[in-house]
């Protein structure tokens, strides 16, 4: 059985990044008994908060990837907004969301105590075989991490829009 390891630490340019990844569910797939920690679920709020706090103790910057939201929705749902609040309270620095297969807004949230969190609710699809109109748009989250007087922060940020173009031969390409 594998150990519970909710994050990975990577070091780039002397900055320690904690990478965490959570999902709302597994679309009905059962986790293997020999690897119950293969996927980290958004279920136990206290556990998620503890994971982030532990990662914060080892890292300069917290980057959290999350699989959430209503498929096809171009606006975040209440589940996303509630977890965004929890991530903000837990001092996550950047959240990159996926699952809706549609591009959703991104913004900076602040906790009133000086902490800012850059959140991309859904970056849509990079490439997909889905023909729905909302599914042919996506984006690349772009941000720079800089040392500021408040510690490491996302200082320059944007979203590079992408469009998936279907080819006549059944293949597709991504246009910037």
């Amino acid at each position: 059985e594998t150990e519970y390891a909710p994050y990975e630490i990577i070091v780039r340019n002397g900055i320690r990044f904690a990478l965490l990844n959570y999902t709302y569910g597994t679309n009905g797939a059962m986790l293997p008994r020999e690897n119950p920690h293969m996927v980290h679920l958004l279920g136990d709020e206290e556990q998620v908060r503890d994971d982030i706090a532990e990662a914060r103790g080892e890292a300069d910057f917290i980057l959290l990837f999350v699989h959430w939201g209503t498929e096809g929705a171009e606006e975040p749902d209440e589940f996303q907004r509630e977890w965004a609040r929890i991530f903000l309270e837990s001092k996550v620095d950047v959240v990159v969301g996926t699952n809706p297969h549609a591009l959703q807004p991104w913004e900076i949230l602040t906790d009133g105590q000086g902490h800012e969190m850059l959140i991309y609710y859904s970056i849509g699809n990079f490439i997909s075989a889905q023909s729905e109109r909302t599914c042919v748009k996506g984006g690349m989250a772009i941000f720079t991490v800089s040392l500021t007087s408040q510690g490491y922060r996302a200082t320059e940020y944007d979203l590079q829009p992408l469009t998936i173009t279907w080819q006549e031969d059944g293949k597709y390409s991504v246009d910037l």
Side-chain angles (χ1 to χ4, degrees):
E1 187 171 304
T2 59
E3 290 183 32
Y4 184 71
Y7 60 90
E8 192 70 34
I9 300 290
I10 63 168
V11 179
R12 297 293 183 270
N13 297 328
I15 305 169
R16 293 177 319 231
F17 293 89
L19 307 178
L20 296 98
N21 196 327
Y22 292 94
T23 182
Y24 75 91
T26 59
N27 295 332
M30 299 297 293
L31 295 176
R33 287 207 320 249
E34 66 277 4
N35 196 356
H37 307 301
M38 165 185 258
V39 173
H40 299 104
L41 298 172
L42 289 175
D44 183 344
E45 178 184 331
E46 185 176 337
Q47 181 65 61
V48 172
R49 286 179 185 270
D50 288 348
D51 293 347
I52 296 167
E54 184 179 328
R56 173 62 63 202
E58 294 184 43
D60 302 307
F61 195 88
I62 304 289
L63 177 56
L64 191 145
F65 300 94
V66 61
H67 181 249
W68 62 356
T70 304
E71 287 195 19
E74 294 179 323
E75 291 295 326
D77 61 27
E78 285 306 309
F79 182 82
Q80 289 170 280
R81 294 217 181 266
E82 177 61 20
W83 277 101
R85 181 189 61 77
I86 292 165
F87 298 150
L88 178 64
E89 289 174 357
S90 300
K91 308 286 191 238
V92 171
D93 296 298
V94 174
V95 174
V96 178
T98 63
N99 179 58
H101 301 285
L103 197 55
Q104 292 184 343
W106 57 280
E107 64 182 334
I108 296 285
L109 299 177
T110 58
D111 69 358
Q113 301 168 356
H115 182 74
E116 295 180 347
M117 180 178 80
L118 172 60
I119 182 166
Y120 297 89
Y121 289 98
S122 174
I123 57 172
N125 288 331
F126 186 77
I127 193 161
S128 83
Q130 296 170 308
S131 59
E132 293 86 357
R133 192 176 62 78
T134 58
C135 295
V136 299
K137 294 186 293 186
M140 286 190 294
I142 299 170
F143 56 91
T144 301
V145 177
S146 302
L147 182 58
T148 72
S149 59
Q150 292 85 31
Y152 287 97
R153 296 262 177 113
T155 53
E156 299 172 38
Y157 35 85
D158 203 352
L159 183 87
Q160 171 66 54
L162 304 171
T163 303
I164 300 166
T165 303
W166 291 68
Q167 309 294 326
E168 286 186 28
D169 58 4
K171 296 180 182 175
Y172 4 139
S173 63
V174 177
D175 303 309
L176 299 175

